[in-house]
């Protein structure tokens, strides 16, 4: 859902992958010059630098955006993505449109798209994900495991038990990522649902489940096989004992600045065709 507003930005940040600057410093300097009308423009090097910002320009691909998305959501910092990566599902502009992106924000005439986030509770740890949670068998060293046995409940009702490589729990935003590769459905960004997708389940009846984002999903691991807990593509911890994971909609929302004329299915076809080359 797009909300179009008239809002002037006062403080802006620029964030990019650490490998980006050596080849693309001219782009960063050009963007800083275009944003000189703002009271404050900084290069963001840590999450603490996000404090007090109104908007964050992210130069990179989806992985770069995922690195900061949840931290921006916690601080109500709007994101505008400029694609210097590969796919760029989450970016609004391609790199040749850098000046147009700056002008859109400087004008104050833009739209905001809100993206739902997952809140994942694992023991005493709480994680926030824009794309997905992956509970997956460990494939490294002494923690190697062949399959894992996971039980899923939604609002207290038993959904299924999976002997598999793991489970993906995805937002609509993340439904075009790992979940799609594992056979999950594509969810449009405005749908009020999440999707749970088993990974290589040892069963003919195990299929992805789309469920309301107002529900609470619990995934139980009763065995002793090690699990990797992966949030937005980053391993957060390895669990070696029986565990329970609670997944629900986060109170935070990731806000993306857009032009307000997005054709989701056109973008999907373009990006997936690039991905399939």
């Amino acid at each position: 859902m797009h909300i179009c507003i008239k809002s002037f930005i006062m403080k802006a940040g620029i964030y990019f992958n650490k490998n980006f600057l050596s080849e693309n410093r001219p782009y960063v300097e050009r963007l800083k010059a275009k944003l000189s009308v703002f009271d404050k423009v900084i290069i963001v090097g840590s999450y603490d630098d996000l404090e007090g910002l109104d908007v964050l320009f992210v130069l990179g691909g989806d992985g770069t955006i995922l690195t900061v998305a949840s931290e921006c959501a916690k601080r109500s910092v709007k994101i505008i993505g400029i694609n210097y990566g590969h796919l760029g599902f989450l970016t609004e502009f391609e790199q040749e449109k850098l000046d147009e992106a700056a002008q859109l924000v400087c004008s104050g005439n833009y739209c905001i798209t809100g993206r739902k986030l997952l809140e994942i509770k694992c023991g005493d740890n709480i994680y926030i994900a824009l794309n997905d949670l992956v509970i997956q068998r460990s494939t490294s060293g002494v923690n190697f495991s062949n399959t894992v046995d996971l039980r899923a409940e939604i609002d207290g009702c038993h959904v299924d038990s999976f002997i598999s490589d793991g489970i993906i729990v995805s937002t609509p935003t993340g439904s075009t990522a790992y979940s799609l590769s594992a056979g999950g459905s594509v969810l449009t960004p405005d749908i009020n649902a999440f999707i749970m997708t088993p990974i290589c389940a040892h069963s003919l009846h195990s299929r992805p489940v789309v469920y309301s984002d107002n529900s609470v999903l619990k995934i139980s691991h009763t065995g002793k096989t090690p699990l990797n807990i992966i949030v937005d593509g980053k391993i957060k911890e390895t669990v070696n004992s029986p565990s329970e994971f609670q997944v629900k909609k986060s109170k935070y929302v990731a806000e993306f600045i857009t032009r307000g004329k997005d054709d989701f299915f056109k973008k999907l076809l373009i990006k997936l065709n690039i991905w399939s080359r």
Side-chain angles (χ1 to χ4, degrees):
M1 178 179 179
H2 294 292
I3 300 175
C4 294
I5 60 175
K6 179 74 171 180
S7 175
F8 291 104
I9 300 299
M10 303 303 292
K11 298 178 181 179
I14 302 172
Y15 178 78
F16 44 83
N17 186 289
K18 65 181 180 179
N19 298 319
F20 172 89
L21 189 59
S22 59
E23 299 178 1
N24 298 283
R25 181 177 288 277
Y27 294 107
V28 176
E29 297 303 323
R30 192 167 93 194
L31 180 56
K32 284 182 68 177
K34 294 286 183 180
L35 302 179
S36 61
V37 296
F38 297 149
D39 291 344
K40 180 180 180 181
V41 180
I42 66 168
I43 302 299
V44 171
S46 69
Y47 294 146
D48 290 340
D49 293 337
L50 296 171
E51 297 292 344
L53 295 184
D54 298 305
V55 64
L56 183 69
F57 286 80
V58 180
L59 281 60
D62 291 341
T64 307
I65 289 179
L66 289 173
T67 301
V68 293
S70 62
E71 295 298 325
C72 285
K74 293 175 185 177
R75 297 167 173 81
S76 299
V77 179
K78 303 174 186 66
I79 296 170
I80 180 165
I82 304 172
N83 187 24
Y84 287 86
H86 179 49
L87 285 177
F89 267 111
L90 296 173
T91 56
E92 180 67 10
F93 292 92
E94 296 302 317
Q95 58 183 346
E96 64 270 15
K97 299 292 185 180
L98 178 71
D99 293 348
E100 184 180 334
Q103 177 57 36
L104 178 69
V105 176
C106 290
S107 72
N109 291 311
Y110 51 78
C111 296
I112 294 176
T113 297
R115 297 294 184 105
K116 302 175 186 68
L117 303 172
L118 296 173
E119 178 186 294
I120 304 118
K121 185 176 182 182
C122 175
D124 294 330
N125 297 321
I126 295 178
Y127 305 108
I128 305 295
L130 172 59
N131 256 11
D132 49 36
L133 160 72
V134 181
I135 302 173
Q136 192 173 45
R137 70 186 182 92
S138 177
T139 58
S140 61
V142 295
N143 287 327
F144 179 87
S145 55
N146 287 312
T147 58
V148 293
D149 188 355
L150 300 171
R151 172 188 169 93
E153 295 182 4
I154 295 177
D155 294 334
C157 297
H158 180 214
V159 177
D160 205 347
S161 295
F162 305 92
I163 297 176
S164 63
D165 284 357
I167 287 177
I168 306 163
V169 186
S170 171
T171 65
T173 300
S175 70
T176 56
Y178 191 12
S179 176
L180 179 63
S181 298
S185 299
V186 172
L187 307 182
T188 57
D190 58 342
I191 197 167
N192 297 319
F194 296 139
I195 180 168
M196 178 181 67
T197 306
I199 307 170
C200 299
H202 289 208
S203 169
L204 294 177
H205 77 269
S206 295
R207 293 292 182 266
V209 176
V210 177
Y211 66 96
S212 169
D213 64 9
N214 288 320
S215 293
V216 176
L217 169 66
K218 290 185 179 179
I219 299 174
S220 302
H221 172 231
T222 57
K224 296 181 179 180
T225 51
L227 297 175
N228 285 336
I229 310 306
I230 305 169
V231 178
D232 280 348
K234 304 291 185 183
I235 296 179
K236 296 297 185 179
E237 57 181 295
T238 298
V239 177
N240 292 286
S241 58
S243 306
E244 182 176 275
F245 310 91
Q246 178 179 280
V247 187
K248 64 180 182 179
K249 181 170 60 179
S250 171
K251 65 181 180 180
Y252 301 110
V253 175
E255 294 184 323
F256 287 83
I257 289 179
T258 74
R259 289 164 288 192
K261 52 184 179 181
D262 184 40
D263 184 334
F264 171 75
F265 294 105
K266 179 181 179 180
K267 187 174 186 178
L268 180 68
L269 286 173
I270 291 171
K271 298 297 184 178
L272 290 183
N273 283 336
I274 292 174
W275 192 13
S276 301
R277 288 176 183 172

